[in-house]
Amino acid sequence: MTTSLSSPRLPAPPLYERIKGALREGILSGQYAPASLLPSEAAMCAQFGASRITVRQALADLQNEGLIFRRHGKGTFVSLPKAFQNVTALQGFAEAMSAHGHAIRNRVLRLGTVPAPTDVAQALQLAPGAPVAELHRVRLLDQSPVSFEVTWLPEALGNIVARADLATRDVFLVLEQDAGVALGHATLAIDAALADHATAAALDTGAGAPLLRVERLTHDAHGTPIDFERLYFRGDAFQYRLRLDRQVAAASQSILPLQDTV
């Protein structure tokens, strides 16, 4: 006598996983187009026979995956394909994005001369409290806010930049074309941050939304620091990309100074 063995029956996935899977499939298949408004939470509760807490859990996971974003008081939207900038070359944001066919506009929120904070003075190699130009801007990518940027410049350069059309021009191009500065190199530090209320308002996102934070110090061709910036990008709309070569990494490691061990 033979006995047939059947595979054990797997438990059904939790309801929020099924909701998440259905929404993800709809987004990836194009049923929900980029930038389109998803059904309301109440509509999803009725559609899936779920509680609001369960629907919100599914939406939170999709937001963490970057597939959707929420706008306070407006609803939940399908994310646009992320714009990206390669960081293998020193370029301004508009310069890089225009090369990919995007339209860039800048909204100037603040521009004036202030005493340099300690960290800014140190970065620009100035005396603490020395006058610097401080520029606050929102960068609009295809008419949608994508980054909030704070820029500090030595006063003399800041006076030149202040006379430029900052709604349409990158600071880098103003420095090169109007101030006659030859740009050299920049150092970047990149990490994650959460939007505070002011940044959230500037970027039309919720407080606590994930941001890509970039700190960039740009030097001229002689190695003098001339531009210190903190850039806050919407995590659902932008990414940096770079190429890493093994040979370059190996060469860099070979010249690192030896450190004493304790």
Side-chain angles (χ1 to χ4, degrees):
M1 183 177 68
T2 59
T3 302
S4 61
L5 298 177
S6 58
S7 300
R9 191 170 183 178
L10 297 176
L15 180 55
Y16 88 91
E17 288 280 2
R18 284 179 274 158
I19 297 172
K20 180 173 65 175
L23 293 173
R24 182 192 289 113
E25 182 178 354
I27 292 169
L28 298 181
S29 69
Q31 176 186 349
Y32 301 117
S36 66
L37 179 65
L38 288 178
S40 68
E41 290 183 2
M44 291 186 196
C45 289
Q47 177 184 350
F48 296 105
S51 67
R52 191 174 292 266
I53 292 176
T54 300
V55 168
R56 286 178 176 173
Q57 187 176 4
L59 293 175
D61 282 3
L62 291 173
Q63 185 171 8
N64 289 336
E65 294 176 18
L67 291 176
I68 63 172
F69 64 95
R70 302 185 187 188
R71 289 185 175 170
H72 182 68
K74 298 179 181 179
T76 302
F77 296 81
V78 178
S79 296
L80 293 167
K82 286 189 179 182
F84 66 89
Q85 180 176 352
N86 287 313
V87 290
T88 53
L90 180 56
Q91 289 182 304
F93 182 69
E95 184 182 9
M97 293 299 97
S98 297
H100 293 289
H102 295 288
I104 302 298
R105 293 284 296 181
N106 306 317
R107 183 185 300 146
V108 178
L109 303 181
R110 185 190 309 172
L111 174 60
T113 301
V114 301
T118 301
D119 57 338
V120 174
Q122 183 176 4
L124 293 174
Q125 297 180 6
L126 301 172
V132 293
E134 182 178 273
L135 170 64
H136 292 217
R137 288 185 299 173
V138 175
R139 314 299 295 268
L140 304 175
L141 178 73
D142 301 326
Q143 301 184 19
S144 296
V146 70
S147 73
F148 171 64
E149 305 185 356
V150 183
T151 302
W152 293 272
L153 302 148
E155 185 179 25
L157 291 178
N159 290 337
I160 297 173
V161 169
R163 296 194 292 267
D165 178 10
L166 297 175
T168 60
R169 300 177 67 192
D170 276 336
V171 170
F172 281 177
L173 294 182
V174 175
L175 291 173
E176 289 181 320
Q177 298 171 357
D178 298 10
V181 174
L183 298 180
H185 71 279
T187 56
L188 279 74
I190 304 174
D191 63 2
L194 299 178
D196 59 20
H197 289 285
T199 307
L203 293 178
D204 193 20
T205 188
L211 302 176
L212 178 69
R213 178 172 55 192
V214 179
E215 189 173 280
R216 180 169 64 191
L217 178 61
T218 302
H219 303 71
D220 65 18
H222 302 290
T224 302
I226 57 169
D227 180 308
F228 183 54
E229 300 168 282
R230 290 197 176 101
L231 320 174
Y232 301 87
F233 290 95
R234 288 183 59 140
D236 61 354
F238 187 80
Q239 62 184 203
Y240 269 122
R241 294 183 183 178
L242 66 160
R243 169 178 166 170
L244 301 176
D245 291 305
R246 179 65 176 173
Q247 293 81 0
V248 173
S252 299
Q253 290 176 2
S254 67
I255 60 173
L256 289 176
L258 296 177
Q259 297 184 356
D260 294 335
T261 57
V262 179

